[in-house]
């Protein structure tokens, strides 16, 4: 057997810190490495495999579509693209969609749309207000939108037109708004920033402020969309409708696809304004259609809310056993567990050894983003592995 981890060290750009696991197979919540060891995957391909690894509905859609038509171009109509568009629009408050290949690209499209809106309707306003501790992707544009210095500092000069303000602070957002503001872009619940849930009423107040100023509210639902928070889209959990929404991660059932969606009044892009060779291709759209339709038809979002409450309850039980756990936060199947010291890296490494995959989202916080289809039995197994790992790290 090849030593893939040695090959990586020699051949691959050393930009990611990986766990020492070479994953070769996945099914549902489980994955297996090249030695045959089994893991419970509570990262689900980074909040991607919302209905589990290799869901039969997605596998079949991909196999059938691969044998039929993978790619033509957006110069022609294709059926999977339009079937997917229909599922998303018919089940959301948005009216139109454009498909991209990733989350960052979806956000780039949303910001282009907002700048065009500013040009047409707000006297050329072109600034977008985003939040500190946000995460919007890794392109040159989106690192300026992402309010975290370590994603920005090495790549100056940053793209202009983004102002990062404190999250969950309405006054900071109001102070940053000026005649040049065309939009506010927020995650309804910050994922990468450490699983930060806004105070009750914050997003509603932001919505009111955007209405008052006539500026667009963009929700980056790349992580919160497609059932993750216990509702099909995160905005439904907060009862606040955005003018523009972006999706990716959980959209494709494992296939790489993103989307930006807009209400009719904000749909200002015209022929020639935007495009993509691969965006909206038949193959990934077929996968995303199968996955999204499955989520909608089987009430997966609602079930995720219930399964997430159980997971949270069990994590709170662990909190009462381990004084080093400071809090359990999050919604649905996006949960963070905070520690009183910076031990999340050690905890995640110990969990990996126990056969449980988790993410050290902050030095003092681990993140749970399991498949939405997580069973009670899998939850119990995961909790017991985490408990063993904590015993080892904290002994
Ligand atoms: C992951 C993520 C992105 C970036 O998506 P990519 O597909 O990695 O480009 C953007 N916004 C949020 C909220 C994310 O979680």
């Amino acid at each position: 057997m090849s030593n893939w981890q040695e090959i990586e060290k020699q051949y691959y750009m050393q930009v990611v810190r990986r766990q020492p696991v070479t994953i070769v197979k996945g099914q549902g919540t489980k994955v297996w490495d090249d030695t045959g060891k089994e893991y419970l995957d509570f990262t689900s391909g980074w909040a991607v495999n919302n209905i589990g690894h290799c869901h039969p509905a997605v596998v079949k859609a991909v196999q059938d579509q691969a044998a039929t038509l993978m790619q033509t171009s957006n110069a022609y109509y294709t059926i999977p693209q339009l079937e997917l568009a229909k599922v998303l629009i018919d089940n959301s408050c948005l009216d139109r969609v454009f498909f991209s290949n990733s989350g960052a690209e979806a956000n780039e499209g949303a910001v282009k749309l907002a700048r065009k809106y500013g040009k047409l309707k707000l006297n050329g306003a072109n600034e977008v207000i985003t939040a500190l501790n946000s995460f919007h992707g890794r392109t040159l544009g989106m690192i300026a939108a992402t309010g975290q210095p370590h994603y920005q500092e090495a790549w100056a000069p940053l793209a202009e037109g983004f102002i990062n303000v404190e999250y969950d602070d309405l006054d900071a957002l109001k102070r940053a708004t000026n005649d040049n503001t065309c939009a506010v872009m927020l995650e309804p619940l910050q994922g990468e920033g450490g699983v930060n849930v806004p105070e009750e009423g914050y997003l509603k107040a932001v919505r009111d402020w955007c209405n008052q100023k006539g500026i667009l509210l963009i929700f980056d639902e790349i992580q919160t969309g497609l059932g993750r928070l216990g509702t099909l889209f995160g905005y439904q959990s907060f009862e606040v409708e955005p003018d523009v929404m972006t999706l990716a991660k959980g959209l494709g059932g494992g296939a790489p696809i993103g989307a930006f969606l807009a209400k009719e009044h904000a749909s200002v892009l015209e022929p020639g304004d935007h495009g993509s060779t691969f965006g909206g291709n038949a193959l990934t759209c077929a996968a995303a259609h199968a996955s999204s339709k499955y989520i909608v038809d089987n009430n997966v979002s609602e079930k995720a809310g219930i399964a997430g409450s159980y997971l949270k309850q069990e994590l709170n039980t662990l909190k009462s056993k381990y004084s080093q756990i400071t809090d359990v936060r999050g919604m649905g199947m996006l949960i963070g567990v905070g520690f009183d010291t910076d031990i999340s890296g050690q905890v995640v490494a110990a969990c990996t050894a126990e056969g449980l995959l988790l993410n050290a989202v902050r030095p003092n916080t681990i993140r749970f983003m399991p498949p939405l289809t997580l069973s009670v039995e899998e939850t119990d197994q995961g909790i017991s592995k985490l408990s063993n790992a904590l015993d080892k790290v904290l002994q």
Side-chain angles (χ1 to χ4, degrees):
M1 193 166 45
S2 300
N3 188 336
W4 295 111
Q5 290 166 35
E6 281 303 317
I7 291 171
E8 195 263 6
K9 208 169 256 121
Q10 191 182 338
Y11 287 82
Y12 209 76
M13 289 201 190
Q14 297 294 295
V15 293
V16 273
R17 286 178 212 93
R18 307 189 203 237
Q19 296 294 310
V21 180
T22 305
I23 295 176
V24 295
K25 186 175 137 96
Q27 188 63 62
T29 305
K30 297 193 174 107
V31 295
W32 290 266
D33 72 13
D34 59 349
T35 69
K37 180 174 169 181
E38 183 180 295
Y39 302 80
L40 275 174
D41 183 7
F42 280 18
T43 67
S44 44
W46 242 243
V48 164
N49 301 299
N50 281 15
I51 55 174
H53 287 271
C54 297
H55 190 282
V58 178
V59 170
K60 182 169 190 326
V62 169
Q63 285 175 338
D64 289 352
Q65 193 61 46
T68 309
L69 177 75
M70 289 197 225
Q71 159 77 6
T72 160
S73 91
N74 283 313
Y76 312 102
Y77 301 85
T78 51
I79 296 167
Q81 182 184 95
L82 300 170
E83 285 180 327
L84 174 60
K86 247 182 132 306
V87 170
L88 297 179
I89 299 303
D90 289 349
N91 290 286
S92 74
C93 67
L94 292 311
D95 300 308
R96 290 181 186 276
V97 62
F98 182 90
F99 294 116
S100 63
N101 305 293
S102 68
E105 263 182 87
N107 284 339
E108 291 277 345
V111 169
K112 278 178 73 177
L113 180 147
R115 286 193 181 174
K116 179 93 190 264
Y117 187 89
K119 234 174 212 87
L120 295 176
K121 306 201 181 190
L122 299 167
N123 299 315
N126 55 38
E127 253 169 31
V128 177
I129 301 174
T130 67
L132 291 168
N133 281 318
S134 62
F135 185 79
H136 298 296
R138 305 276 202 155
T139 57
L140 282 173
M142 285 310 116
I143 59 172
T146 292
Q148 300 191 48
H150 70 106
Y151 287 115
Q152 300 180 329
E153 275 160 1
W155 295 278
L158 293 180
E160 290 178 43
F162 295 96
I163 302 183
N164 310 143
V165 303
E166 202 66 51
Y167 185 62
D168 207 9
D169 181 340
L170 185 67
D171 286 335
L173 194 141
K174 285 186 172 176
R175 280 195 303 272
T177 310
N178 59 55
D179 287 347
N180 200 23
T181 309
C182 64
V184 173
M185 178 160 81
L186 295 172
E187 294 155 89
L189 185 163
Q190 290 186 329
E192 218 72 23
V195 190
N196 307 318
V197 186
E199 286 295 327
E200 173 99 37
Y202 169 68
L203 295 172
K204 276 196 176 136
V206 173
R207 175 70 275 179
D208 289 344
W209 178 248
C210 289
N211 288 349
Q212 199 180 319
K213 292 287 161 186
I215 58 182
L216 296 177
L217 177 58
I218 305 171
F219 276 171
D220 176 344
E221 293 236 22
I222 287 166
Q223 191 158 153
T224 53
L226 281 308
R228 181 65 44 197
L229 300 189
T231 47
L232 186 58
F233 301 107
Y235 76 78
Q236 294 162 321
S237 292
F238 294 96
E239 296 174 350
V240 175
E241 293 189 359
D243 303 298
V244 178
M245 173 170 79
T246 58
L247 301 172
K249 293 201 167 82
L251 177 59
I257 183 169
F260 65 101
L261 302 86
K263 288 199 174 187
E264 196 61 47
H265 77 94
S267 269
V268 291
L269 296 184
E270 294 171 304
D273 279 350
H274 199 54
S276 175
T277 299
F278 287 123
N281 69 81
L283 188 66
T284 55
C285 283
H289 175 248
S291 177
S292 307
K293 192 167 169 356
Y294 184 90
I295 288 172
V296 170
D297 290 351
N298 295 281
N299 278 329
V300 172
S301 314
E302 206 178 314
K303 289 176 192 160
I306 297 164
S309 300
Y310 179 66
L311 173 57
K312 213 171 176 185
Q313 173 198 308
E314 294 305 294
L315 289 169
N316 273 309
T317 305
L318 280 191
K319 176 172 173 274
S320 58
K321 263 174 59 189
Y322 297 95
S323 62
Q324 293 88 347
I325 298 180
T326 55
D327 66 322
V328 177
R329 54 187 190 262
M331 288 168 71
M333 284 292 204
L334 185 51
I335 300 175
V337 172
F339 297 105
D340 58 2
T341 47
D342 290 351
I343 54 167
S344 68
Q346 285 164 269
V347 172
V348 166
C351 283
T352 303
E354 291 289 326
L356 171 67
L357 303 183
L358 278 172
N359 163 235
V361 68
R362 297 273 110 165
N364 64 355
T365 305
I366 53 174
R367 177 171 46 164
F368 294 72
M369 38 184 171
L372 309 182
T373 48
L374 187 73
S375 69
V376 167
E377 197 196 356
E378 289 165 342
T379 308
D380 292 343
Q381 287 168 355
I383 292 286
S384 131
K385 287 174 193 289
L386 173 60
S387 181
N388 291 343
L390 288 174
D391 287 340
K392 289 204 175 111
V393 172
L394 301 173
Q395 72 185 350

